[in-house]
Amino acid sequence: MVNKELTLDTEEKILQAATKVFERDGYAGARMQVIADEAGMNKALLHYYFRSKEKLFSKIFLEKYNKFFSTLSILADQEMDFFEKIDKVIDSYMEMLIQNPEMPSMLINTITHHPELIQKLNTEGAQKMRIVLQSESEKGNIIAVESLQILTSVVGLCIMPFLAKPIAMHVFKLDMDFYQQVLLNRGPFVKKAVRAILKP
Amino acid sequence: MVNKELTLDTEEKILQAATKVFERDGYAGARMQVIADEAGMNKALLHYYFRSKEKLFSKIFLEKYNKFFSTLSILADQEMDFFEKIDKVIDSYMEMLIQNPEMPSMLINTITHHPELIQKLNTEGAQKMRIVLQSESEKGNIIAVESLQILTSVVGLCIMPFLAKPIAMHVFKLDMDFYQQVLLNRGPFVKKAVRAILKP
DNA sequence: TAAAATATTTACCAAATGGTTAAATTAAAT
DNA sequence: ATTTAATTTAACCATTTGGTAAATATTTTA
């Protein structure tokens, strides 16, 4: 590697372009040529830097999702009141979703098309969270129910309006501004909802 | 059309095979040849009966999802106690999901790859449900909040364990039997959760 | 039974696509 | 300045894929 700065720049351009295209079109729908156009360069360069479409996607996917899962891990380890912790989890979910509304659907698409990538996701953070829930349940601080039911509920409550956005906007004939407002109000609503659900 | 019975049979074989493949591989990942193999016939026959991959997918997709939405519509119209109605909605969701666990991810994939098909979904049933919620909210029987927040919550609570299945099984190292039990317990859990959320 | 209509198969094609190769260009090192 | 190494481009290729045309088989009709 000779010109480090320039190289990183090209690599970065590719990654950004590829992220955009993969998010918009999914893996199977994405075209290397389109990514190259988007990055303003030749298609062969993509292969020069990342060997294959598969490897390019894998890198982007794992980096993005493992980063999110690792914030979960950090939160789980922090010393704080249980409901405060739950609120923080919801906050971090919502923040990530507002910045990055396509993450859930990209994850779903990846389950369908690249199940092997799912195996490479960090499991630590979510596991810790499950243990926290089990412990609170045993102490009687929250309802006694399989912790998976709770975890999927929190995640589902957070991401659903993002997943359903195109359908909901069509079905209820809503405009973007209105829907954006619904999304921004989601965090506080979910916090209340989760408290209500968890009350023993 | 000469031999009605035989023709329907072939058509039905194609539709079943295509449904299976589209569900498993998504639209972009599905191959006409694979569908033909699955149906035990020649690829050209698919085009003879359905013209194109697009048309075949479109037919399957709309039939499947509009059927579900129309049961929503029927439920919304029925004269019954509000919470009983909500329970019935949850029951019909869960029943559909147990029979057809890939429906949510197929819908998400379609949003990504065929946004124009979303425009063709029946809107009636969901609209009626929204009005029911708004009315109950105004009467003070449930919390006062934008009805979309409630609708997305109910849907999200129902479908999340199905969407998350592959990830959850990996992250928490669960076996199929255990997860199936979680899914079967989901209905009652969601009913309780929704009641807790809606309590004014 | 003959021919007309319909259903199915075989063989093929054009376009698209991921990927490669080798040449050209640029930058770094000596 | 010349060599060496890294980067970029242009041209090309093999494969895959949706789709078609024409031949063949089957069923219906007259």
Side-chain angles (χ1 to χ4, degrees):
Chain A
M1 196 165 305
V2 177
N3 185 337
K4 181 112 185 166
E5 202 171 311
L6 224 151
T7 295
L8 275 183
D9 219 310
T10 307
E11 223 176 281
E12 198 45 46
K13 264 194 236 161
I14 295 176
L15 286 173
Q16 279 181 19
T19 301
K20 184 174 168 183
V21 174
F22 280 133
E23 275 173 352
R24 195 189 53 208
D25 302 336
Y27 178 81
R31 300 287 163 247
M32 293 300 268
Q33 185 59 57
V34 172
I35 295 173
D37 292 348
E38 182 77 33
M41 64 184 61
N42 193 287
K43 185 176 63 127
L45 253 195
L46 307 188
H47 289 95
Y48 179 73
Y49 278 92
F50 295 95
R51 310 256 325 169
S52 72
K53 185 185 181 184
E54 202 93 38
K55 286 202 170 60
L56 177 57
F57 179 78
S58 169
K59 171 142 189 167
I60 289 171
F61 175 83
L62 288 177
E63 211 149 287
K64 196 159 191 164
Y65 289 85
N66 274 335
K67 184 180 164 192
F68 173 70
F69 278 116
S70 74
T71 73
L72 258 199
S73 181
I74 293 166
L75 273 176
D77 280 340
Q78 270 169 22
E79 194 76 35
M80 70 172 67
D81 173 67
F82 170 71
F83 279 103
E84 197 183 336
K85 191 172 278 190
I86 290 277
D87 281 356
K88 285 256 193 299
V89 169
I90 293 168
D91 280 338
S92 88
Y93 257 109
M94 295 310 298
E95 194 184 329
M96 179 268 288
L97 287 165
I98 293 282
Q99 302 296 324
N100 228 326
E102 337 72 1
M103 271 184 79
S105 47
M106 194 178 173
L107 189 58
I108 306 291
N109 284 340
T110 303
I111 292 172
T112 306
H113 296 299
H114 288 263
E116 77 283 357
L117 279 185
I118 302 300
Q119 310 299 318
K120 294 190 179 172
L121 287 174
N122 277 343
T123 61
E124 200 189 36
Q127 279 170 358
K128 284 182 189 162
M129 277 296 169
R130 191 178 184 211
I131 290 167
V132 168
L133 278 173
Q134 279 169 342
S135 148
E136 291 296 313
S137 178
E138 280 159 20
K139 281 188 264 171
N141 296 341
I142 60 174
I143 48 165
V145 67
E146 165 58 48
S147 55
L148 265 183
Q149 301 285 7
I150 299 171
L151 284 172
T152 49
S153 299
V154 174
V155 177
L157 288 169
C158 286
I159 74 174
M160 200 55 215
F162 292 87
L163 274 179
K165 183 176 175 185
I167 297 180
M169 285 184 65
H170 166 249
V171 166
F172 302 116
K173 321 261 184 254
L174 310 172
D175 60 56
M176 291 226 310
D177 286 346
F178 180 84
Y179 205 85
Q180 190 63 23
Q181 204 52 53
V182 171
L183 294 182
L184 291 174
N185 293 336
R186 189 66 178 177
F189 172 81
V190 173
K191 286 180 191 171
K192 267 185 250 165
V194 171
R195 269 166 222 267
I197 292 173
L198 292 183
K199 194 176 288 178
Chain B
M1 197 162 304
V2 178
N3 185 337
K4 182 109 186 167
E5 201 172 312
L6 224 152
T7 295
L8 274 182
D9 220 309
T10 307
E11 225 178 279
E12 200 44 47
K13 265 195 233 160
I14 295 176
L15 286 172
Q16 280 181 18
T19 301
K20 183 172 169 184
V21 175
F22 280 133
E23 275 172 352
R24 193 188 56 209
D25 302 337
Y27 177 82
R31 301 286 162 248
M32 293 300 268
Q33 185 58 58
V34 173
I35 295 173
D37 292 348
E38 182 76 33
M41 65 184 63
N42 194 287
K43 183 176 64 123
L45 252 196
L46 307 188
H47 290 94
Y48 179 73
Y49 279 92
F50 296 95
R51 310 254 326 166
S52 70
K53 185 184 180 185
E54 290 269 341
K55 287 202 169 61
L56 178 57
F57 179 78
S58 170
K59 170 142 189 167
I60 289 171
F61 176 84
L62 288 177
E63 210 149 286
K64 196 157 191 165
Y65 289 85
N66 275 334
K67 184 180 164 192
F68 173 70
F69 279 116
S70 74
T71 73
L72 257 198
S73 181
I74 292 167
L75 275 175
D77 280 340
Q78 271 170 19
E79 196 76 36
M80 69 172 65
D81 173 66
F82 170 71
F83 279 102
E84 196 184 334
K85 191 173 279 189
I86 290 277
D87 281 355
K88 284 257 192 301
V89 169
I90 293 168
D91 280 337
S92 89
Y93 257 109
M94 295 309 298
E95 193 185 329
M96 180 268 290
L97 287 165
I98 293 282
Q99 300 298 324
N100 227 327
E102 339 70 1
M103 270 184 79
S105 48
M106 193 179 175
L107 190 57
I108 306 291
N109 285 340
T110 303
I111 292 173
T112 306
H113 296 299
H114 287 264
E116 77 283 358
L117 279 185
I118 302 301
Q119 310 299 319
K120 294 190 179 173
L121 287 174
N122 277 342
T123 61
E124 202 189 35
Q127 280 170 359
K128 283 182 190 162
M129 277 295 170
R130 191 177 183 211
I131 290 168
V132 168
L133 279 173
Q134 280 168 342
S135 147
E136 291 297 312
S137 178
E138 280 158 19
K139 282 189 264 174
N141 296 343
I142 60 173
I143 49 165
V145 67
E146 166 57 50
S147 55
L148 265 183
Q149 302 287 5
I150 299 171
L151 283 172
T152 49
S153 298
V154 174
V155 177
L157 287 169
C158 286
I159 74 175
M160 200 57 215
F162 293 86
L163 274 179
K165 183 176 174 184
I167 297 180
M169 286 184 63
H170 165 249
V171 166
F172 301 116
K173 321 256 182 260
L174 309 173
D175 60 59
M176 291 228 308
D177 285 346
F178 180 85
Y179 206 85
Q180 191 63 24
Q181 204 50 54
V182 171
L183 293 181
L184 291 174
N185 293 337
R186 188 67 178 177
F189 172 81
V190 173
K191 286 180 191 171
K192 267 186 246 162
V194 171
R195 270 167 220 268
I197 293 173
L198 292 183
K199 193 177 287 178

